[in-house]
Amino acid sequence: MLSKRHYGLDWLRIIATAGIFLFHSGSPYAAEIWHFVSASRSAGLEVLGAFLLLWTMPLLFVISGISMMIAAQSRTRPALLLERVKRLIVPLIFGILVVVPPQVYVERVSRGQFDGSFISFYPHYFNAPYLEIGGTANFAWMGLHLWYLLALFVFTLAALPLLGVLSRAAQWLAGLTQDGLPRRAMLVLLPPIPLALVDVLLGPNGLGGWNMLSFVVYFLAGALLAGRQGGVKAAGDAFGLAAIIAAIGILSGLLLRFSVDSATLGSAGPLVHGALHGLSGWASVIALIGLAERALNKPGPYLEAASEAVLPFYILHQTWIVVVAYLVDGISLSVWPKYALVLGLSAAASIAVYVILVRPFGPVRLLFGLKPAGAAARA
């Protein structure tokens, strides 16, 4: 089991968050249904979005599973639960009440469902639980993009009584093969089996491009990976195999999705898509963790500051994307310049809010899931 901070995982959390930001910034121009959809469309951004959805949220859930097992070594279960309440539930509630409402407002205004200022809209935000994009209910009880915080808290709550079982299961799995190709192959090829089954039986569609049960698999896989000595190092050993399989799986999956009529696959279509989805998603995660183990497991001049900023940036980014995309949509520009504007302006606004309003003030830091100034930011 990991006994000290793994800098590579910190880098990967930053990379995954950046990938989610790129995906959400392109959603106004690629998604069929989103909080704001522009009339300007881009097939290229649709392909980019499909690629990013394969690995960004899965990587975050795997890292979260690893982080839970690391944290459990130095904290009692009640202390770990309290830390997760501060880290996840407090910013979720704050986000639901303060950060997310402008997204719902833009959604209603852009669809002609509301006419008036945001201040006049805010009392209507609490009219009924928000259940679907384009509906009439406004109260985003899951926080829209902040659903990740709620899901992670629920997964952690369910896993806390099972920490000992997870650790023993990790040791048992590690003993199935000796070091070498069999162990690397098992690490890369076994987890896609339950992921493919979830896709085939329940469908791949859901929050973050995956069925929610798939995220349970990723979270538990991360816990198992960290639950034995050398587990993360094994990902480094499997980097080459995982990278090759990920590249083949991603290319094949994208070609099937965008270039092949699904009817040609017949009844085998769901099985083929499910197998490719699970295989390419998991192999991508292992390849990235392997890369982090080999090349990124070292401190950098900006790592500590960027690691602390990740959660506030994640909380803020989508609201700025929705607002900026709505405001720039009337400008006479093609899709890619609009995309660049949304990227630049929403990133600048999110970082500015963090630097000016969040980072310096203790009470505000707590609302964004941060520890008091000077404390090490740990997941």
Side-chain angles (χ1 to χ4, degrees):
M1 184 180 290
L2 287 174
S3 58
K4 60 181 181 179
R5 184 165 188 167
H6 194 291
Y7 294 105
L9 297 180
D10 291 337
W11 283 116
L12 288 184
R13 190 179 288 107
I14 296 167
I15 291 170
T17 303
I20 292 167
F21 174 68
L22 291 174
F23 168 73
H24 283 152
S25 295
S27 293
Y29 313 106
E32 293 298 325
I33 301 174
W34 206 56
H35 309 292
F36 172 71
V37 176
S38 172
S40 304
R41 313 299 292 165
S42 170
L45 285 175
E46 188 177 353
V47 174
L48 176 63
F51 165 71
L52 292 170
L53 280 180
L54 276 174
W55 58 270
T56 49
M57 292 308 301
L59 180 59
L60 281 183
F61 275 107
V62 170
I63 293 173
S64 297
I66 294 172
S67 298
M68 179 191 68
M69 296 298 283
I70 296 174
Q73 296 179 74
S74 58
R75 297 166 179 82
T76 64
R77 292 178 186 180
L80 180 56
L81 179 59
L82 178 60
E83 181 188 61
R84 288 315 190 243
V85 168
K86 294 178 180 178
R87 178 79 165 165
L88 302 173
I89 297 303
V90 171
L92 173 64
I93 294 172
F94 175 74
I96 290 171
L97 297 177
V98 177
V99 178
V100 167
Q103 296 185 51
V104 182
Y105 170 69
V106 169
E107 181 180 326
R108 297 290 169 259
V109 170
S110 65
R111 286 171 166 78
Q113 295 172 305
F114 186 83
D115 183 17
S117 68
F118 173 72
I119 294 175
S120 64
F121 167 79
Y122 190 76
H124 298 281
Y125 175 68
F126 301 93
N127 69 347
Y130 183 109
L131 298 176
E132 61 180 349
I133 295 175
T136 57
N138 296 326
F139 183 62
W141 60 278
M142 288 184 66
L144 300 185
H145 68 294
L146 302 183
W147 65 266
Y148 163 68
L149 303 182
L150 179 59
L152 181 53
F153 180 78
V154 172
F155 294 174
T156 303
L157 188 64
L160 282 179
L162 305 175
L163 291 176
V165 174
L166 290 171
S167 182
R168 290 191 294 273
Q171 299 301 327
W172 177 76
L173 288 171
L176 289 180
T177 60
Q178 300 299 316
D179 289 332
L181 182 60
R183 177 170 292 184
R184 295 197 294 272
M186 184 181 73
L187 178 63
V188 177
L189 298 177
L190 280 186
I193 295 175
L195 292 170
L197 287 174
V198 170
D199 264 20
V200 172
L201 297 177
L202 302 178
N205 298 323
L207 297 170
W210 294 79
N211 188 285
M212 188 58 67
L213 189 56
S214 297
F215 291 135
V216 175
V217 175
Y218 279 114
F219 179 77
L220 292 176
L224 292 173
L225 199 62
R228 68 180 181 87
Q229 189 67 32
V232 175
K233 181 180 180 300
D237 297 335
F239 168 73
L241 177 63
I244 292 171
I245 292 176
I248 294 173
I250 290 172
L251 181 60
S252 301
L254 291 177
L255 286 173
L256 277 178
R257 176 171 174 177
F258 295 104
S259 302
V260 177
D261 186 350
S262 58
T264 61
L265 297 176
S267 60
L271 182 60
V272 173
H273 283 287
L276 283 174
H277 196 217
L279 184 63
S280 55
W282 175 254
S284 298
V285 168
I286 289 299
L288 287 165
I289 294 176
L291 177 65
E293 173 68 19
R294 289 183 169 205
L296 301 177
N297 191 15
K298 52 190 175 183
Y302 305 108
L303 178 58
E304 184 175 351
S307 295
E308 182 182 74
V310 160
L311 182 56
F313 184 87
Y314 179 84
I315 292 169
L316 293 165
H317 81 281
Q318 184 167 294
T319 294
W320 282 114
I321 287 170
V322 172
V323 171
V324 171
Y326 175 66
L327 293 176
V328 306
D329 198 54
I331 301 176
S332 181
L333 291 172
S334 60
V335 172
W336 286 96
K338 285 183 179 179
Y339 178 60
L341 271 176
V342 171
L343 279 176
L345 293 177
S346 56
S350 299
I351 293 170
V353 170
Y354 166 68
V355 171
I356 298 171
L357 299 178
V358 178
R359 187 175 63 178
F361 304 108
V364 184
R365 291 174 64 89
L366 295 177
L367 293 175
F368 280 83
L370 300 181
K371 295 179 179 180
R378 298 294 294 273

